[in-house]
Amino acid sequence: MKKKYEAGEATKYITRAQALKKLQLNLKDFRRLCILKGVYPREPNNRKKAQKGKLDKKTLYYVKDIRFLSHEPLIWKFRDFKIFMRKMKTAMEKGDKETVARLKENKPSMKLDHLVKERYPTFMDALNDLDDCLTLCFFYSTLPRDTKVPANLISLCRRLTVEFLHYVIAAKALRKVFISVKGIYYQIEIKGQPVTILINHQRGFKPTSASDVDYRIMTNFVDFYTSMLGFINFRLYHSINLQYPPKLPGITVKEDATDEDAVEEYNELVAALNSSLVTNVPQAEEEVQIDEFPSAEGAEKLEEAKREAEAIERLKSLFKGLKFFIGREVPRESVVFVIRSCDGEASWDPSIFAGATYDETDESITHQIVDRPSVDKQYLSRYYIQPQWLFDCINFRRLLPVEDYFIGANLPPHISPFVTERLGDYIPPERQMLLALQRGETLPAEQEEEEEEDESEDDSSEEEEEEDKVEKKEPTKSQVVKEKKGMKVMRGRVEMPDVKGMEEEDKEHYKFRELMIRNKDKRLYRSMMKNRKSREREAKRLENKRKQHEKEEKDLKKSTSSGKALTAKWSIQPQSATSDTQTKKMKMV
Amino acid sequence: MATSTLGAAWLVDESDKLNKKKQKRIVKHKKKAWRVTSNVEDVERFLESKRLDERLGAPLEERPSDSFFVVDTKTEADKPLKRELTKKRKIKEIGPLRCYAILTPNSAVIDPLKKRNRVRLPEERGDPLLRKVMEERRAKGKIPTRFLQSMKHHQENVEALAKKKKPERLRTTFDFDLWGDAGDSLMIGDKKVSALDLSDQLKTYTMEKMGNRIYSRPPTMFFKTTGLKPVEYPHPGTSYNPTFQDHQALLKEAYNLETKEMKEEVRTRRRLGPMLKKIPVQRKEEQWWSEMTQGLADEEEPAKEEEEEVPCIRPTKPKTRKQKIRAKALKWQDMRRKKLKEAKKRLLEFDRLRSIRREIRKSEELTAKRIEIRKKEKEAKMFKPAMLGRHKYEPPPIEVNLSEEITGTLRGLKTEGHVLIDRFKSMQRRNIIEPRVRQTVVFKYKHKVFTKRSHSEPKGLKVGNRNKDKTPVQ
């Protein structure tokens, strides 16, 4: 008779305790090995079968994964380390200092190169997994020295992350920034891959309780990520012709210098992010032009892609020629990073950090970034602005008017650049503005004028505007065609295009197309439409709410009579995605 | 008065008489008798003091007075005012510790046995003649080459050790391209091959020729654990200076979560209501007593239990042969009847072919539907934390600033949440690590109870209480 649990699901899984026994490791080492190798616990489809009839929930792994783990040479390193620790302990307790010193000199070390290569066979694979790596490394670099984490790991993280920031600055790869209450989100584009990083605010270290986070586990992750990030940095630096251990021009410090202070000073200068690095070869400028492929629906998309590329090009040299001075109360590192990765120049008070290039008294400074209500001595030659201006400029991909961001001014809201709306969603006016600016190259002022010109098309998005233009052009064309080559030349009559009729025709066409939908897809289509309608309704409700809120705020401001109404500026564009649904629908069908 | 003085005189007389007992005469012509009788205390004392003097070197009177006193020539002002910071001094500097002084020989007496066997000092070892020759040579500056050699080697060793870098726990220098030629690759013949690209044949070949086997990752390792992004995009309401709508939306989310939790708590409270009674301490103790002594009361009166007579159950009678045959026949009959019925039904089913077809179609539709649902469920599962262990994943609280906490400036920003906790939770959400509850081992030693001697009653029974304290032995 066939025995139970000898085939299928039951043989696919192995419990953690069994795995420990098989690999002859303790739990601590096993977890470490799993993290380093990228082996994860799995949830079985049928737990009862996978656990051979037992019903309590156990942590399961694939048998094959564990078998693969058993071939890992790192296990022997773990064992070496165990023996080393045992010897150390004996020597320490005997007070045998000579042996302790000798043992310490021959402490076993591990290399994780082969694991990086194994988990990421190609460089692109590694880039795909960079989010986690960078976020953790950035966090570890800010840890205080007296935590449980080994101090050299913290300094290694700091070094690697600074190197990465230098790469982003050199490659001008920063795309989006968002300041949230948790930390600052950066989106960076490396070889076409978006990489999102979360970096904590530069505040004091917040200790966590043991029940929240297990530092030992996180340190294992960071161990692997440092190796990975080092190799990625090496490759990235060489891809843009930079010397890899980053070198500052003009300053020479030997690598094997014994003077620790000098090395530290040099490292600080590198961490200042304020000067470009030494290149290998004089860089040859490449102009990548988007290849044009003729495609059926491609024209519009191509256009869009082109516009996007142009906008990014603009973003890369957004702060070119601008000279910033950073106040002491502003988070220096993030601000310098943002300025420098958009080609600006920055300096600060030399008392807060090394590497300041010019003084506050420099007359050529164009912007001073200040985050306090007032400044005693102000220069007329420069704008005093709040740091949000920089971040908003990057998200909007253009230099915004500085008036809203003046010192002490009530700032406009900081909008997330990461939101993507679906059709029919409510889009707040600020966000609409951002979207429009990202897409096109119209300044808000210009747009205002446009609005005034054609108020009739007030509530239509840009895309529809384009279509309208096309529609407008069509009748003129037809006019030309209609001029027959008759015997007599009659005075032409202007035939007004039957807009209403055309619209109705369109609607009818649309209805027909709706009818043509296959039965198979009909239900899906209906549910989609239903959802969209509900979203539209919700959007309308929110819009009304917003209007009311603004009105109230205006009244309040009037009553308090303080400054101009901010919201008025933002409510230029009462566009919404609701109106262009009709056209979109047609496209879809 | 006279009588009293007389009495006193008498007393004196009496005592004199008692004291002046005649000493026993002892013959002193033998050594033993001398020893017993003669008083040599003063001689002994003298000799003892002499011996002490010998042990200490010389008698105090003979020693120069310089050895006892020190002339303090330094003035107070000359001494450095500031004392150096106390640091741990090495034993070499301090010399032997005071506590070991008692172990050192402190006698100045020269060993009377000149030839006593002892460990020679290094200078005394070896042939005295040879030693002399060596010393002369050394004085001239001639050192044997082997000494020179060993000194050189020693020097080299020391230098090499000083130069040697401290071993790092992990790699810190990255000086080659891991994904380039120098990365993880093998030389097979004159070709450089990336180890991961090897075919099975090449793998066995490398194992045979080079001795290192290459294992490739099993396909199970490539199964994705989640569809979630490693760093999820933040809610727009978490901005430090959010728009009104976004912030309200996020607040509402947080509020909903909170109310849900509170409702849950209220519900559990209501359900557990009768169980969560408040009991006064006394009642609790009583209950504890009654619980703990539950079995004990029965023991006292086992005799009282009356032995109830259990009615005897008669064992079943075995079937007779006749009965067996009859039962078998009946069974056969039954089976036959059933078979016939089945066959008849089959025949009739020819008539309802259409309805059967319909049934089949329906069931097929159902399976297709189920397959689709399962597929959808599987897809949805990719975006949820799985059950990886005993503990369930607990989502972190929503990070949101309250309306009054938003200042609108970067300086006044009140941070919420913790990046590391966010990462940790994200990894749990993405099924990379299983949620765990940290186990803390608490060593609970048994309390040892002492009674102080001063407080305890003296052991043993008092005479009067002997009978009272006797407890009846059970």
Side-chain angles (χ1 to χ4, degrees):
Chain A
M1 207 183 91
K2 214 175 162 187
K3 268 190 184 173
K4 235 179 175 183
Y5 308 129
E6 283 202 332
E9 188 96 334
T11 52
K12 247 166 78 180
Y13 296 96
I14 184 172
T15 64
R16 197 177 63 190
Q18 283 169 331
L20 291 182
K21 210 169 171 187
K22 188 172 183 185
L23 298 176
Q24 298 185 18
L25 290 172
N26 57 15
L27 182 58
K28 197 182 119 198
D29 281 343
F30 175 72
R31 301 183 124 239
R32 192 162 174 217
L33 187 68
C34 281
I35 286 168
L36 294 178
K37 289 280 276 186
V39 169
Y40 311 118
R42 305 287 177 158
E43 190 184 28
N45 289 330
N46 187 338
R47 191 171 278 278
K48 196 187 165 194
K49 276 182 191 163
Q51 290 182 176
K52 303 198 171 60
K54 278 162 200 150
L55 286 173
D56 55 334
K57 277 165 186 149
K58 280 174 181 162
T59 309
L60 298 172
Y61 290 86
Y62 283 134
V63 168
K64 283 189 176 172
D65 287 3
I66 300 299
R67 199 178 299 148
F68 177 62
L69 280 187
S70 69
H71 300 308
E72 178 55 46
L74 220 54
I75 292 177
W76 291 102
K77 283 278 174 201
F78 289 167
R79 286 171 191 158
D80 282 349
F81 197 76
K82 204 166 79 183
I83 293 161
F84 164 78
M85 285 310 286
R86 200 161 57 209
K87 282 181 182 166
M88 276 288 275
K89 202 187 163 203
T90 324
M92 292 274 254
E93 268 161 19
K94 280 184 181 168
D96 191 351
K97 280 177 188 168
E98 260 178 52
T99 318
V100 169
R102 181 173 48 77
L103 283 171
K104 262 187 189 170
E105 257 161 32
N106 296 317
K107 191 177 174 186
S109 62
M110 321 190 277
K111 270 182 188 161
L112 306 176
D113 313 354
H114 66 289
L115 289 185
V116 177
K117 179 81 186 200
E118 183 187 278
R119 282 174 70 173
Y120 311 112
T122 65
F123 184 54
M124 289 314 270
D125 294 332
L127 286 185
N128 268 334
D129 221 8
L130 203 54
D131 298 18
D132 245 342
C133 164
L134 281 170
T135 306
L136 257 185
C137 283
F138 267 109
F139 180 79
Y140 261 62
S141 67
T142 58
L143 281 181
R145 292 297 148 110
D146 55 350
T147 41
K148 288 168 198 168
V149 179
N152 48 6
L153 185 66
I154 295 171
S155 51
L156 179 64
C157 278
R158 174 79 183 141
R159 203 192 88 199
L160 292 174
T161 47
V162 164
E163 281 168 10
F164 183 78
L165 290 183
H166 265 298
Y167 164 76
V168 175
I169 288 170
K172 308 256 177 297
L174 184 69
R175 294 291 174 267
K176 287 170 185 174
V177 194
F178 178 60
I179 310 171
S180 85
V181 287
K182 201 190 312 180
I184 304 178
Y185 287 82
Y186 294 102
Q187 193 168 63
I188 289 153
E189 200 179 275
I190 305 173
K191 307 207 181 243
Q193 296 246 25
V195 176
T196 319
I197 321 172
L198 169 61
I199 301 177
N200 49 328
H201 289 294
Q202 287 171 326
R203 300 285 161 96
F205 171 65
K206 244 196 243 172
T208 53
S209 73
S211 58
D212 285 336
V213 180
D214 194 345
Y215 261 93
R216 280 207 317 220
I217 285 179
M218 296 317 260
T219 306
N220 290 340
F221 276 106
V222 175
D223 279 348
F224 177 74
Y225 287 146
T226 49
S227 292
M228 178 183 159
L229 187 57
F231 285 116
I232 286 176
N233 276 351
F234 183 90
R235 178 111 178 180
L236 287 177
Y237 270 59
H238 282 265
S239 70
I240 53 168
N241 282 327
L242 289 178
Q243 275 189 14
Y244 172 56
K247 267 182 194 158
L248 299 175
I251 309 165
T252 49
V253 166
K254 282 174 192 171
E255 272 180 34
D256 53 337
T258 47
D259 193 7
E260 278 183 26
D261 285 343
V263 173
E264 200 144 293
E265 222 167 84
Y266 183 75
N267 284 345
E268 280 227 323
L269 277 183
V270 175
L273 301 174
N274 206 15
S275 55
S276 45
L277 305 174
V278 177
T279 51
N280 277 338
V281 198
Q283 217 172 320
E285 281 193 18
E286 288 175 50
E287 284 252 337
V288 184
Q289 293 227 334
I290 294 172
D291 297 331
E292 287 190 34
F293 295 108
S295 56
E297 38 157 351
E300 224 170 278
K301 273 190 179 173
L302 194 75
E303 193 86 339
E304 214 165 277
K306 258 189 181 174
R307 239 184 293 147
E308 179 78 16
E310 270 171 32
I312 283 171
E313 233 10 81
R314 220 169 341 103
L315 176 68
K316 279 181 179 175
S317 55
L318 188 63
F319 299 138
K320 197 168 192 176
L322 301 185
K323 248 179 151 182
F324 293 91
F325 189 83
I326 298 161
R328 281 187 298 148
E329 67 283 358
V330 181
R332 190 199 62 87
E333 199 175 283
S334 48
V335 168
V336 172
F337 170 62
V338 160
I339 291 172
R340 295 259 303 128
S341 52
C342 291
D343 225 0
E345 273 181 89
S347 181
W348 51 87
D349 197 308
S351 64
I352 44 168
F353 207 85
T357 43
Y358 45 85
D359 231 17
E360 193 179 353
T361 50
D362 194 339
E363 288 289 334
S364 58
I365 292 170
T366 54
H367 294 76
Q368 181 154 349
I369 295 158
V370 182
D371 196 8
R372 53 175 107 181
S374 63
V375 176
D376 295 337
K377 195 187 169 193
Q378 290 196 6
Y379 291 83
L380 276 176
S381 59
R382 63 183 81 155
Y383 294 119
Y384 284 79
I385 46 168
Q386 299 192 37
Q388 196 191 316
W389 183 74
L390 296 168
F391 303 113
D392 279 353
C393 279
I394 285 173
N395 289 343
F396 284 59
R397 288 175 181 173
R398 81 171 35 257
L399 292 177
L400 294 174
V402 281
E403 289 83 30
D404 301 333
Y405 299 88
F406 273 157
I407 181 168
N410 219 345
L411 290 172
H414 180 62
I415 307 147
S416 171
F418 293 115
V419 183
T420 46
E421 278 91 4
R422 283 190 301 174
L423 268 178
D425 269 343
Y426 168 72
I427 306 173
E430 297 91 345
R431 171 97 189 126
Q432 278 174 19
M433 177 100 132
L434 188 147
L435 282 177
L437 283 177
Q438 271 184 1
R439 257 184 276 118
E441 296 159 33
T442 41
L443 261 173
E446 289 167 28
Q447 212 147 36
E448 210 170 347
E449 283 163 27
E450 269 178 41
E451 286 310 305
E452 281 163 18
E453 277 173 27
D454 41 22
E455 275 186 344
S456 58
E457 288 159 8
D458 218 11
D459 49 1
S460 56
S461 85
E462 208 164 283
E463 279 167 62
E464 225 206 340
E465 270 176 45
E466 276 170 35
E467 266 182 36
D468 282 347
K469 276 172 197 165
V470 174
E471 274 177 301
K472 265 186 204 167
K473 273 173 197 167
E474 267 175 30
T476 51
K477 267 186 191 173
S478 59
Q479 236 174 312
V480 176
V481 175
K482 267 176 192 169
E483 279 175 31
K484 287 173 192 168
K485 288 172 187 170
M487 299 297 285
K488 257 195 245 170
V489 180
M490 297 278 281
R491 190 184 172 83
R493 205 154 32 104
V494 181
E495 198 171 277
M496 293 301 286
D498 186 10
V499 179
K500 218 175 185 182
M502 274 167 71
E503 262 176 19
E504 261 171 26
E505 208 179 301
D506 271 349
K507 262 184 197 170
E508 245 163 62
H509 277 300
Y510 179 69
K511 265 181 194 167
F512 277 128
R513 261 177 298 167
E514 256 183 344
L515 281 176
M516 289 292 285
I517 294 173
R518 284 191 298 178
N519 282 341
K520 206 173 165 188
D521 303 331
K522 206 165 228 168
R523 198 173 296 148
L524 176 71
Y525 176 76
R526 266 187 208 144
S527 81
M528 267 171 67
M529 286 301 118
K530 202 180 153 198
N531 278 339
R532 189 179 286 173
K533 272 215 175 110
S534 72
R535 259 181 279 144
E536 275 167 25
R537 227 176 295 130
E538 181 66 16
K540 214 163 241 174
R541 191 183 69 78
L542 284 172
E543 210 171 305
N544 285 338
K545 200 175 169 189
R546 167 89 187 207
K547 265 180 197 161
Q548 193 133 11
H549 172 73
E550 271 166 13
K551 206 177 164 191
E552 276 171 16
E553 210 149 75
K554 226 179 203 172
D555 289 345
L556 243 173
K557 272 200 181 145
K558 261 181 196 167
S559 61
T560 51
S561 69
S562 65
K564 62 172 181 177
L566 258 175
T567 43
K569 198 203 162 273
W570 289 107
S571 55
I572 293 164
Q573 276 187 315
Q575 302 175 345
S576 78
T578 50
S579 52
D580 61 341
T581 45
Q582 191 80 3
T583 51
K584 283 271 165 104
K585 266 188 234 162
M586 283 175 186
K587 268 177 216 160
M588 201 215 75
V589 174
Chain B
M1 196 59 178
T3 51
S4 65
T5 49
L6 263 176
W10 178 78
L11 270 173
V12 170
D13 262 347
E14 279 291 309
S15 64
D16 272 6
K17 265 181 194 173
L18 278 173
N19 283 354
K20 282 180 183 176
K21 252 187 187 174
K22 218 178 183 183
Q23 274 190 340
K24 212 183 174 184
R25 243 187 94 76
I26 297 162
V27 187
K28 286 183 182 176
H29 72 283
K30 275 185 180 166
K31 209 175 180 180
K32 199 179 177 184
W34 268 102
R35 271 193 190 158
V36 172
T37 54
S38 56
N39 192 4
V40 284
E41 230 172 68
D42 48 348
V43 180
E44 290 263 294
R45 213 181 300 135
F46 171 73
L47 284 176
E48 187 66 31
S49 70
K50 195 94 180 173
R51 255 180 251 133
L52 183 70
D53 287 345
E54 263 179 17
R55 256 209 321 267
L56 296 176
L60 281 177
E61 299 85 40
E62 287 171 21
R63 283 196 212 173
S65 50
D66 295 357
S67 63
F68 298 120
F69 306 105
V70 179
V71 181
D72 193 359
T73 49
K74 259 189 185 173
T75 54
E76 278 294 310
D78 282 2
K79 281 179 186 169
L81 274 174
K82 214 177 169 187
R83 259 199 350 208
E84 274 180 38
L85 284 170
T86 50
K87 59 174 183 181
K88 269 194 178 174
R89 284 184 299 170
K90 281 180 182 168
I91 286 180
K92 269 183 197 168
E93 290 173 27
I94 305 165
L97 294 175
R98 279 291 282 282
C99 58
Y100 297 136
I102 200 158
L103 297 176
T104 55
N106 59 355
S107 171
V109 185
I110 305 156
D111 191 357
L113 278 179
K114 294 230 160 144
K115 282 191 167 179
R116 195 191 292 277
N117 204 5
R118 64 181 172 87
V119 179
R120 308 274 142 187
L121 293 169
E123 303 92 62
E124 296 165 351
R125 283 178 211 160
D127 192 0
L129 269 177
L130 206 65
R131 217 160 52 216
K132 208 179 166 189
V133 171
M134 289 288 284
E135 258 164 37
E136 275 170 12
R137 273 192 187 172
R138 203 173 294 151
K140 278 179 191 171
K142 280 180 184 173
I143 304 166
T145 43
R146 63 193 167 94
F147 278 126
L148 284 175
Q149 197 98 40
S150 77
M151 272 165 69
K152 197 180 146 199
H153 284 312
H154 179 71
Q155 193 61 32
E156 277 171 4
N157 245 348
V158 167
E159 273 169 22
L161 270 180
K163 254 187 199 173
K164 197 181 166 190
K165 270 186 182 174
K166 223 182 154 190
E168 295 280 355
R169 213 167 59 91
L170 291 166
R171 178 184 274 287
T172 52
T173 49
F174 303 93
D175 46 7
F176 66 94
D177 189 358
L178 189 68
W179 291 278
D181 296 332
D184 177 37
S185 56
L186 291 168
M187 288 292 284
I188 295 177
D190 54 347
K191 246 187 179 177
K192 227 174 200 180
V193 180
S194 177
L196 288 154
D197 300 338
L198 294 186
S199 64
D200 288 347
Q201 284 172 329
L202 270 179
K203 273 179 198 166
T204 48
Y205 176 82
T206 47
M207 193 181 68
E208 281 167 7
K209 296 287 173 189
M210 301 160 83
N212 48 359
R213 195 168 159 182
I214 296 152
Y215 297 93
S216 47
R217 287 191 289 173
T220 46
M221 272 182 79
F222 294 96
F223 293 166
K224 267 193 170 177
T225 55
T226 183
L228 292 170
K229 274 182 186 165
V231 177
E232 275 152 70
Y233 290 148
H235 190 281
T238 60
S239 165
Y240 88 102
N241 186 13
T243 60
F244 176 72
Q245 244 94 19
D246 289 339
H247 186 241
Q248 287 299 317
L250 187 65
L251 264 185
K252 198 173 179 191
E253 233 171 75
Y255 169 78
N256 285 344
L257 212 75
E258 189 75 26
T259 44
K260 208 176 164 189
E261 262 174 31
M262 270 154 76
K263 252 185 200 168
E264 194 68 25
E265 206 187 317
V266 167
R267 196 196 281 158
T268 46
R269 219 151 239 285
R270 202 183 59 226
R271 280 184 184 165
L272 294 176
M275 287 180 217
L276 293 173
K277 251 185 214 162
K278 267 188 181 177
I279 302 172
V281 181
Q282 272 191 342
R283 269 261 294 287
K284 199 180 163 192
E285 259 174 28
E286 274 169 29
Q287 276 181 3
W288 187 81
W289 266 109
S290 65
E291 262 173 43
M292 290 295 126
T293 56
Q294 220 158 36
L296 298 175
D298 304 345
E299 252 177 57
E300 279 183 4
E301 36 206 290
K304 280 180 190 174
E305 272 180 34
E306 289 170 18
E307 283 180 22
E308 283 179 24
E309 277 189 21
V310 183
C312 189
I313 300 161
R314 257 164 57 189
T316 46
K317 246 185 185 175
K319 275 180 183 173
T320 57
R321 192 161 169 273
K322 205 177 171 184
Q323 275 173 332
K324 272 182 192 170
I325 290 166
R326 199 177 143 73
K328 209 174 183 182
L330 268 175
K331 203 178 161 193
W332 273 106
Q333 217 175 342
D334 215 31
M335 270 168 73
R336 212 175 299 135
R337 205 173 56 228
K338 262 184 192 167
K339 251 186 191 170
L340 271 174
K341 209 176 175 184
E342 195 100 318
K344 213 175 178 183
K345 210 178 169 189
R346 278 272 152 82
L347 267 178
L348 282 174
E349 270 179 359
F350 277 114
D351 296 340
R352 54 178 214 95
L353 267 179
R354 282 179 80 184
S355 69
I356 286 173
R357 203 172 290 150
R358 198 164 55 224
E359 272 168 22
I360 289 170
R361 204 180 58 224
K362 260 187 188 170
S363 76
E364 269 174 1
E365 261 174 28
L366 199 68
T367 47
K369 213 176 184 181
R370 273 180 189 155
I371 286 169
E372 204 172 307
I373 287 169
R374 253 174 234 152
K375 207 174 158 191
K376 263 185 194 166
E377 271 175 6
K378 212 174 179 184
E379 273 167 19
K381 220 176 164 188
M382 288 298 280
F383 293 91
K384 275 181 198 162
M387 198 70 188
L388 293 177
R390 249 200 306 168
H391 303 287
K392 219 176 170 185
Y393 165 77
E394 275 175 20
I398 291 176
E399 291 110 3
V400 61
N401 268 348
L402 296 180
S403 301
E404 61 265 21
E405 282 166 358
I406 296 172
T407 51
T409 60
L410 205 54
R411 189 168 46 96
L413 156 69
K414 184 176 175 267
T415 56
E416 298 277 344
H418 197 279
V419 174
L420 194 67
I421 293 175
D422 170 68
R423 290 294 79 211
F424 191 64
K425 285 283 176 193
S426 158
M427 273 165 182
Q428 287 185 349
R429 199 162 49 232
R430 286 180 286 140
N431 305 330
I432 289 176
I433 48 180
E434 73 272 26
R436 267 209 318 178
V437 170
R438 203 176 171 103
Q439 304 290 326
T440 47
V441 183
V442 181
F443 290 106
K444 235 183 183 178
Y445 294 109
K446 209 175 176 186
H447 271 286
K448 225 173 187 178
V449 180
F450 293 98
T451 44
K452 269 191 173 178
R453 269 267 282 295
S454 55
H455 279 268
S456 65
E457 295 242 324
K459 267 184 186 175
L461 292 168
K462 281 178 190 170
V463 178
N465 293 346
R466 196 177 286 165
N467 291 324
K468 263 189 210 169
D469 261 19
K470 236 177 200 173
T471 45
V473 181
Q474 283 185 341

